[in-house]
């Protein structure tokens, strides 16, 4: 289906993703692009009906102030200027802001409101079939929301041409590999290959403390595992991935500084042997969930707590050791159990523990002990671009603390992270 689009030109603003989501909420598709689009690039973008020029405080790159390209100005399409060369600012009132966007997008640009999950799924099925043909697709199936929705889309589009691979890299949560196999192999009857690569991954990560290097090692090693599995199969030419729009935005563009690279955006090897299939790369997190529900996935799977691709590798801060990784896994399991007991698993978007590579003095069995702290993080968000902190009742925190310090070897302190995003990110690495 032909889809109208509003292009947001990022001139150093931090709220371009928010604007994109607000436009999509009006029923019109929107994407973020650099300020210097050429006429050829504009022509290659399907269904562009107008531009939002979004100025901001980070509008100087390499000593030069960012300007709108001549191609945009000469396109003849409507342009909404915001916070750019004296132009008006966004209204502080949400209703006024929505009215401003609605007037521009629907009245001035005459954009058609055909952005919805039913149309998105129909378009993606057509695109997947056109891209893949009669070849096979290899999909990294973690069991998380993104990969589950991708699996459902691919199954609907190409059926048994999809081969799912679940890699246990030793960085999953307690009981998670077993659960993934049960749900996808036995309940959903997916063609699932299980690979236990724990020793392989932890060996590659030994002594590596830099978080970006860890992410890239994990991402690259994932690809190597898939290549090995693909060589055992015939006709595999494509790699399916659960890349979503925040992954792309946070991995950096010319006008957007890198927040963190994602294993499925910045960590892929240059000699990748597959062509990528990324059917949800246009979607924000809440849209991925809506897509999953539209596809008929069970609600408890669609609303499963998000989990990063590098897994516990970015929560076991610094160089990963097996004993500290196990302490992290056990403390996280306690947190999840107590949140479920308190009903918080239904109200908190994401919650987990972090164990840093540092120790503090404590007392255990009437003797001095030097052990790690466990840090609790619990946040709420809609699109993963911003996040607020969940205020947990003290009795619940006391119970979690007591269980962790008494049941998890090597941990003698529990802390609670009160930092929203920004300035913190959701993960610590």
């Amino acid at each position: 289906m032909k889809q109208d689009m509003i292009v947001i030109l990022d001139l150093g603003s931090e709220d371009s993703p928010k604007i994109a989501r607000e436009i999509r909420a009006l029923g019109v598709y929107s994407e973020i692009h650099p300020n210097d689009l050429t006429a050829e690039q504009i022509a290659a973008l399907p269904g562009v009906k107008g531009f939002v020029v979004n100025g901001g405080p980070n509008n100087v790159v390499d000593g030069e102030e960012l300007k709108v390209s001549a191609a945009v100005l000469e396109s003849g399409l409507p342009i909404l200027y915001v916070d750019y060369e004296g132009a008006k600012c966004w209204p502080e009132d949400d209703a006024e802001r929505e009215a401003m966007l609605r007037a521009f997008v629907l009245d001035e640009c005459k954009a058609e409101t055909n952005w919805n999950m039913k149309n998105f799924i129909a378009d993606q099925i057509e695109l997947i079939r056109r891209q893949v043909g009669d070849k096979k697709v290899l999909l990294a199936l973690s069991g998380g929301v993104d990969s589950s929705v991708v699996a459902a889309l691919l199954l609907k589009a190409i059926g048994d041409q999809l081969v799912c691979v679940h890699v246990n890299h030793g960085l999953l949560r307690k009981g998670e590999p077993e659960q993934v196999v049960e749900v996808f192999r036995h309940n959903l009857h997916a063609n699932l290959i299980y690979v236990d690569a724990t020793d392989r991954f932890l060996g590659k990560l030994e002594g590596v403390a830099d978080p970006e290097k860890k992410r890239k090692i994990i991402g690259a090693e994932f690809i190597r595992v898939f290549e090995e599995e693909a060589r055992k199969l015939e006709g595999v030419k494509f790699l399916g991935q659960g890349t979503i729009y925040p992954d792309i935005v946070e991995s950096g563009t010319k006008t957007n500084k890198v927040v963190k690279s994602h294993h499925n955006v910045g960590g892929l090897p240059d000699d990748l042997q597959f062509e990528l299939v990324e059917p949800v790369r246009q979607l924000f997190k809440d849209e991925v969930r809506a897509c999953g529900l539209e596809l008929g996935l069970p609600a408890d799977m669609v609303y499963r707590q998000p989990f990063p691709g590098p897994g516990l590798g970015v929560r076991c801060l610094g160089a990963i050791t097996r004993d500290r990784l196990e302490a992290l896994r056990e403390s996280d399991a306690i947190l999840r159990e107590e949140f479920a007991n308190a009903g918080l698993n239904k109200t908190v978007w994401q919650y987990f523990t972090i164990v840093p590579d540092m120790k503090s003095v404590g007392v255990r069995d009437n003797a001095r002990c030097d052990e790690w702290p466990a840090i609790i993080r619990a946040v709420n968000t809609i699109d993963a671009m911003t996040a607020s902190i969940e205020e947990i009742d003290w009795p619940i925190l006391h119970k979690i603390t007591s269980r962790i310090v008494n049941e998890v070897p090597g941990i003698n302190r529990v802390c609670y992270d009160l930092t929203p995003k920004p300035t913190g990110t959701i993960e610590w690495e």
Side-chain angles (χ1 to χ4, degrees), residues 58-362:
N58 304 317
N59 65 339
V60 177
V61 176
D62 297 330
E64 293 188 9
E65 185 177 355
L66 300 177
K67 299 286 186 180
V68 179
S69 68
V72 171
L73 298 176
E74 296 167 2
S75 68
L77 296 171
I79 303 175
L80 174 64
Y81 294 95
V82 185
D83 292 344
Y84 178 72
E85 295 184 345
K88 58 189 173 184
C89 298
W90 286 112
E92 293 185 7
D93 181 75
D94 288 341
E96 292 180 21
R97 183 182 176 107
E98 180 187 352
M100 178 177 167
L101 278 174
R102 183 179 294 275
F104 174 71
V105 172
L106 302 184
D107 299 336
E108 189 173 350
C109 296
K110 309 293 187 198
E112 186 177 348
T113 56
N114 56 6
W115 170 249
N116 58 61
M117 283 305 114
K118 188 181 292 294
N119 289 342
F120 171 80
I121 290 169
D123 289 344
Q124 287 303 315
I125 289 174
E126 180 182 344
L127 289 171
I128 290 166
R129 288 173 177 168
R130 191 185 308 163
Q131 180 184 9
V132 172
D134 61 354
K135 305 301 181 183
K136 291 182 179 178
V137 179
L138 195 62
L139 172 67
L141 182 55
S142 68
V145 178
D146 301 336
S147 65
S148 297
V149 173
V150 170
L153 258 177
L154 290 172
L155 284 168
K156 197 173 184 67
I158 59 174
D160 59 9
Q161 291 171 241
L162 173 66
V163 180
C164 298
V165 177
H166 177 60
V167 178
N168 180 2
H169 50 21
L171 303 169
L172 296 171
R173 291 173 287 202
K174 186 175 182 180
E176 201 157 46
E178 297 82 0
Q179 183 187 42
V180 169
V181 172
E182 176 65 23
V183 170
F184 288 96
R185 177 178 288 167
H186 302 304
N187 296 350
L188 299 183
H189 309 293
N191 183 4
L192 177 65
I193 298 171
Y194 173 77
V195 182
D196 187 349
T198 299
D199 291 338
R200 176 173 174 171
F201 275 83
L202 295 185
K204 291 278 186 180
L205 291 165
E206 187 174 355
V208 179
D210 181 81
E212 286 296 293
K213 289 182 179 177
K214 288 199 293 186
R215 285 179 179 272
K216 292 182 186 298
I217 287 171
I218 293 168
E221 201 61 24
F222 253 107
I223 300 301
R224 300 305 178 208
V225 172
F226 293 141
E227 286 177 336
E228 293 169 11
E229 294 302 321
R231 282 194 287 269
K232 303 173 186 177
L233 304 166
E234 293 183 0
V236 175
K237 299 295 183 182
F238 297 90
L239 176 67
Q241 287 206 133
T243 308
I244 65 174
Y245 205 49
D247 295 342
I248 297 168
V249 173
E250 288 195 335
S251 291
T253 61
K254 181 194 300 186
T255 53
N256 183 49
K257 296 179 181 178
V258 174
V259 177
K260 58 185 175 184
S261 67
H262 290 259
H263 73 286
N264 49 0
V265 178
L268 298 175
D270 295 332
D271 59 345
L272 181 66
Q273 300 298 308
F274 305 111
E275 183 179 337
L276 295 180
V277 180
E278 302 175 300
V280 297
R281 66 179 286 119
Q282 298 170 270
L283 303 184
F284 288 100
K285 196 72 177 188
D286 58 318
E287 293 172 326
V288 175
R289 297 186 194 281
C291 182
L293 292 175
E294 184 68 31
L295 285 164
L297 289 176
D300 59 347
M301 181 182 295
V302 170
Y303 288 101
R304 183 181 179 186
Q305 186 186 143
F307 193 55
L312 300 181
V314 293
R315 297 175 182 174
C316 190
L317 306 186
I320 298 170
T321 60
R322 291 180 183 253
D323 54 352
R324 191 157 53 87
L325 180 61
E326 191 58 29
L328 171 60
R329 202 184 327 267
E330 291 297 325
S331 64
D332 181 77
I334 290 172
L335 176 70
R336 289 190 289 131
E337 181 180 335
E338 291 302 330
F339 265 44
N341 291 340
L344 292 171
N345 60 324
K346 298 178 181 177
T347 60
V348 183
W349 185 79
Q350 192 170 16
Y351 46 92
F352 52 90
T353 60
I354 303 121
V355 178
D357 187 14
M358 59 173 287
K359 291 185 176 181
S360 66
V361 66

Side-chain angles (χ1 to χ4, degrees), residues 5-8 47-52 75 77-80 104 109 111:
M5 174 167 61
I6 302 297
V7 172
I8 299 169
V48 178
K49 304 293 285 188
F51 297 94
V52 175
S75 68
L77 296 171
I79 303 175
L80 174 64
F104 174 71
C109 296

Side-chain angles (χ1 to χ4, degrees), residues 23-34:
I23 294 174
R24 293 186 188 191
L26 297 174
V28 178
Y29 183 64
S30 181
E31 284 184 355
I32 304 165
H33 286 272

